[in-house]
Amino acid sequence: MRTPGSLLVAAAALTGLLSSQALASDDVASRAFRALRETRPPDPAANLPRFQSTAPLVPRVLIAGDSWAQYMWDDGSHNDILDKFGHGDKRALSLSLSSDPGPGYSGPEYAISGSQARHWVDTAQYPWIANMVAALTDNPSIDLVVLSIGGNDVLAGKDSGGWYKDMDLDVPGSEQAFFDRLEQDTFTIMQAALNVRPDVRVWISSYDYPNFNVGFWCFISACPLRRNLSRDPDNDLITDEEINAMLVSVEQLRIGWANSDPRILYDHGLGLMHYYYGDGVSAPGALPHPGQTPPDYLPMPGGNPLRPSLRSNFRRPNGIDADPIHLDYEAYQYKITNQTQATLFPDFRVEFSESFPSQGTDRDGWTNGTSVGSDAVRMGATDGLRRHGILSFNTASIPDGATITGASLYLIRQSASGSNPFVSGDQGSPQLDVVRGTFGAPELEASDASAAANAVDAGAFAGSAFANGYAVRVDLSAAGLAALHDAGTTQMRLAFASAGTGAGTHEVAFADGDA
């Protein structure tokens, strides 16, 4: 996220071990995926808000589908990345299971490890579609479903009704029939979500190149899966390149599905790990980043389709490096950052007519009522003295008499000391004051801490400032909007309601306009 240090945005309008032999029926796929199951439970706090927000928390994103959906939710990554981008008040929501319990289960979850699209549409045996619909119905503010489904169908292989190499040599036309079924099943799932409300959109979440080269632990999952993806595994075992080519074909089909309906979106992440980590030959950043622009999403694919993703990108369930499919926490963080940059942040920020970086120099900084500093915009307290962050904007380019329908202030954490008051709440709620003009002189003054403002406590804060680089967003109230100066300078003052009770310094420092 390339954003000036301070920015004012004005808005217009995986537990059994398997042999390496192929197994019959659904056992290959289901047992292989259970072999990858992480037996340690997920962190129940992973998706809890960690900040003292004065903005209302609103569910906006539903995460549904297979093991990729389950891991993304259990990791808490969507909510973490939304917080990082200053939109932690927009919450992701899901309910997950780490293993498909099989037909007849009646629980409420809808992010199910090992689930396949063909299971989802068997509504007499599986409740997944009904559960997803119920979650959307119960949360009317959700307008985007991140759907990760179909990957398990593909990897199910020949003994489990999935795709496998040269399957047309066994039954002519069977490959196309498989893809037709996958498309029909996926559309059945998507349409069930779209039918809930006219504003709901479905975002098809792509997969990335797997890596079946797990060495000693291959017998757990990767070897049975590779054999089951091969028509003649003893003489013509499917290669990494051929598996990748299959994924490319599937993702190209998904692009076509998305282009068929304006309410269906596509998240292109095929080759994303190669872009961020390299492929073992090319360095990070050297291979193509997956394209994000419809209708073709060029370059498609990203990365290097001739090589697998690096083994270091994959999960180690129970500490065992056996998983050929599921990305680790850090890699999913990159995937979700990519989703956020491409779609979530622009969507949640809404279109804006103008942006203003703060002025920096001696016009941005802090005061505690006695001293001033221009090294950063600081909020918090030191030994009982509150620190007030001061920001200056030249807002003269706002058209005279314009009606400003919304404005948001974005602050990027630069450093922190002691306990973070945005997380601890020890200093009460954060507050924003706005003055039409300046609090005194345009330059920082100690008196800026107590000078009168045109709008007091005039913003709703969202964000934890959890780590360096995390953003906090402040949405201005009607009074704050009215105080924006369309003919000169607008200054803003940020502070917590109290100094708290702790000795020492407990504050967050944000980058100023010089950053």
Side-chain angles (χ1 to χ4, degrees), residues 233-250:
D234 295 321
N235 300 295
D236 190 20
L237 195 65
I238 193 169
T239 66
D240 294 337
E241 181 180 344
E242 289 170 328
I243 294 173
N244 286 355
M246 178 59 208
L247 285 176
V248 171
S249 298
V250 171

Side-chain angles (χ1 to χ4, degrees), residues 109-130:
E109 298 87 357
Y110 45 91
I112 317 299
S113 182
S115 67
Q116 300 180 28
R118 64 190 178 116
H119 297 153
W120 279 64
V121 301
D122 184 0
T123 56
Q125 297 293 334
Y126 297 91
W128 315 138
I129 287 182

Side-chain angles (χ1 to χ4, degrees), residues 24-338:
S25 72
D26 279 355
D27 285 349
V28 173
S30 62
R31 288 180 60 185
F33 280 105
R34 285 183 171 88
L36 301 179
R37 177 182 176 186
E38 174 61 77
T39 59
R40 293 171 296 188
D43 179 2
N47 283 290
L48 294 179
R50 59 191 174 205
F51 56 90
Q52 302 293 319
S53 175
T54 60
L57 303 182
V58 181
R60 292 288 303 275
V61 179
L62 194 78
I63 303 169
D66 55 20
S67 48
W68 278 52
Q70 173 237 323
Y71 276 124
M72 288 189 289
W73 170 250
D74 288 352
D75 287 345
S77 292
H78 278 91
N79 284 318
D80 174 61
I81 298 299
L82 289 175
D83 181 18
K84 185 174 185 176
F85 276 73
H87 284 269
D89 56 326
K90 279 62 164 206
R91 306 298 293 170
L93 185 68
S94 193
L95 284 175
S96 67
L97 279 176
S98 61
S99 183
D100 189 333
Y105 180 79
S106 59
E109 298 87 357
Y110 45 91
I112 317 299
S113 182
S115 67
Q116 300 180 28
R118 64 190 178 116
H119 297 153
W120 279 64
V121 301
D122 184 0
T123 56
Q125 297 293 334
Y126 297 91
W128 315 138
I129 287 182
N131 293 348
M132 175 187 68
V133 168
L136 288 171
T137 303
D138 292 343
N139 295 274
S141 59
I142 291 178
D143 53 11
L144 185 64
V145 176
V146 178
L147 180 64
S148 177
I149 200 70
N152 292 342
D153 296 70
V154 173
L155 294 177
K158 63 182 178 181
D159 293 321
S160 304
W163 169 88
Y164 62 97
K165 178 183 176 181
D166 294 332
M167 61 192 297
D168 275 357
L169 296 180
D170 288 333
V171 179
S174 58
E175 184 171 83
Q176 186 60 51
F178 166 78
F179 288 128
D180 290 345
R181 190 213 77 203
L182 181 61
E183 178 177 352
Q184 179 179 348
D185 292 349
T186 304
F187 268 88
T188 297
I189 299 166
M190 294 192 294
Q191 195 61 54
L194 296 173
N195 287 343
V196 176
R197 285 188 299 277
D199 64 325
V200 172
R201 296 163 298 159
V202 174
W203 197 9
I204 302 173
S205 183
S206 74
Y207 300 90
D208 208 339
Y209 304 127
N211 188 317
F212 283 70
N213 305 303
V214 299
F216 172 80
W217 298 107
C218 194
F219 67 93
I220 293 179
S221 173
C223 283
L225 280 174
R226 191 191 288 270
R227 291 178 62 85
N228 204 36
L229 293 171
S230 310
R231 178 173 180 266
D232 183 4
D234 295 321
N235 300 295
D236 190 20
L237 195 65
I238 193 169
T239 66
D240 294 337
E241 181 180 344
E242 289 170 328
I243 294 173
N244 286 355
M246 178 59 208
L247 285 176
V248 171
S249 298
V250 171
E251 297 302 338
Q252 288 174 329
L253 288 174
R254 296 174 190 274
I255 289 175
W257 303 348
N259 288 334
S260 72
D261 189 319
R263 295 174 62 193
I264 301 175
L265 311 177
Y266 177 71
D267 158 41
H268 182 198
L270 191 57
L272 193 66
M273 295 305 103
H274 281 166
Y275 174 78
Y276 281 113
Y277 296 95
D279 66 350
V281 177
S282 298
L287 293 167
H289 187 282
Q292 303 301 307
T293 305
D296 299 317
Y297 296 88
L298 301 176
M300 171 64 203
N304 178 7
L306 304 181
R307 296 180 63 84
S309 298
L310 299 181
R311 280 302 311 156
S312 58
N313 291 155
F314 294 86
R315 299 187 97 86
R316 297 190 175 198
N318 307 295
I320 298 174
D321 185 14
D323 195 329
I325 301 164
H326 305 107
L327 302 178
D328 62 12
Y329 174 83
E330 183 179 273
Y332 277 128
Q333 287 268 304
Y334 276 118
K335 176 176 176 60
I336 295 162
T337 296
N338 187 62

Side-chain angles (χ1 to χ4, degrees), residues 435-508:
V435 64
R436 185 178 178 88
T438 60
F439 289 110
E443 297 78 21
L444 295 165
E445 298 178 298
S447 59
D448 291 344
S450 57
N454 294 104
V456 176
D457 195 10
F461 284 69
S464 68
F466 183 70
N468 294 345
Y470 277 59
V472 169
R473 186 188 92 253
V474 190
D475 293 333
L476 273 65
S477 67
L481 297 177
L484 297 175
H485 195 6
D486 58 5
T489 300
T490 300
Q491 285 192 333
M492 299 185 181
R493 180 172 59 211
L494 305 105
F496 288 94
S498 75
T501 58
T505 298
H506 302 277
E507 68 173 18
V508 172

Side-chain angles (χ1 to χ4, degrees), residues 351-373:
E351 293 185 8
F352 62 94
S353 56
E354 194 161 2
S355 63
F356 304 87
S358 62
Q359 293 180 311
T361 65
D362 58 356
R363 297 192 176 194
D364 290 351
W366 59 272
T367 176
N368 60 9
T370 302
S371 304
V372 300

